[in-house]
């Protein structure tokens, strides 16, 4: 099986998060898509060197732009920001806390469109030889 050799798709975005007092705080973040892991999108936020990283299903983000989706640790749903623009709410839960963030639907769609150009939905596959080689080299 040959997996597309497209480079990673990355995009910087601004997340609007609520702090402990309910105030909106901008949190710089980055979205990253690796065609070798075609079902996942990584979101990283926080200070350089102290970033928190989450993997979220690409399909969850696609559906979450128009319909509430997810369960457990990741929930995605459409919303409207304080200026009346379309946005997406990401709710991320872990044993150490919970983050509710709002992201521009326009920014998310631009990113997802680039991932679809790299690996169209329905064509995702995993190169098992490459995966085994990566696992073996990581354990050495």
């Amino acid at each position: 099986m040959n997996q597309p050799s497209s480079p990673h798709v990355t995009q910087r975005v601004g997340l609007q998060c609520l702090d402990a007092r309910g105030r909106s705080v901008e949190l710089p973040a980055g979205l990253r898509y690796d065609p070798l892991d075609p079902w996942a999108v990584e979101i990283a936020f926080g200070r350089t060197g102290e970033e928190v990283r989450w993997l979220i299903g690409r399909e969850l983000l696609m559906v979450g732009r128009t319909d509430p989706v997810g369960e457990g640790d990741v929930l995605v749903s459409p919303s409207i920001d304080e200026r009346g623009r379309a946005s997406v709410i990401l709710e991320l839960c872990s044993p150490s806390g919970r983050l509710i963030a709002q992201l521009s639907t326009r920014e998310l769609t631009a990113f997802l469109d680039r991932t679809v150009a790299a690996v169209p939905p329905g064509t995702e596959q995993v190169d098992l030889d490459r995966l085994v080689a990566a696992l073996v080299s990581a354990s050495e």
Side-chain angles (χ1 to χ4, degrees):
M1 264 189 250
N2 289 333
Q3 184 63 34
S5 59
S6 303
H8 298 150
V9 176
T10 60
Q11 184 171 317
R12 298 297 297 167
V13 295
L15 299 178
Q16 292 297 317
C17 305
L18 295 178
D19 70 9
R21 294 186 173 157
R23 295 176 299 200
S24 182
V25 177
E26 173 121 9
L27 180 64
L31 299 174
R32 181 176 179 271
Y33 179 76
D34 182 350
L36 296 177
D37 185 6
W39 292 280
V41 169
E42 179 184 82
I43 184 167
F45 46 88
R47 294 183 190 135
T48 303
E50 298 176 8
E51 289 179 322
V52 174
R53 298 179 182 280
W54 278 77
L55 286 180
I56 301 174
R58 178 171 74 161
E59 181 69 19
L60 277 180
L61 293 173
M62 291 176 143
V63 172
R65 293 176 297 172
T66 57
D67 296 297
V69 66
E71 57 184 59
D73 296 345
V74 179
L75 303 172
V76 184
S77 58
S79 186
I80 301 292
D81 70 13
E82 67 278 353
R83 293 186 178 128
R85 296 175 298 196
S87 65
V88 174
I89 300 291
L90 301 175
E91 186 172 346
L92 309 174
C93 301
S94 76
S96 60
R98 178 175 157 201
L99 174 73
I100 298 174
Q102 191 171 46
L103 169 66
S104 161
T105 300
R106 189 189 69 210
E107 286 184 310
L108 179 58
T109 297
F111 172 78
L112 291 172
D113 287 349
R114 292 172 48 224
T115 73
V116 167
V119 181
T123 67
E124 300 95 337
Q125 48 183 296
V126 174
D127 183 336
L128 293 178
D129 293 334
R130 183 178 277 176
L131 179 61
V132 169
L135 290 172
V136 168
S137 68
S139 66
E140 293 178 343

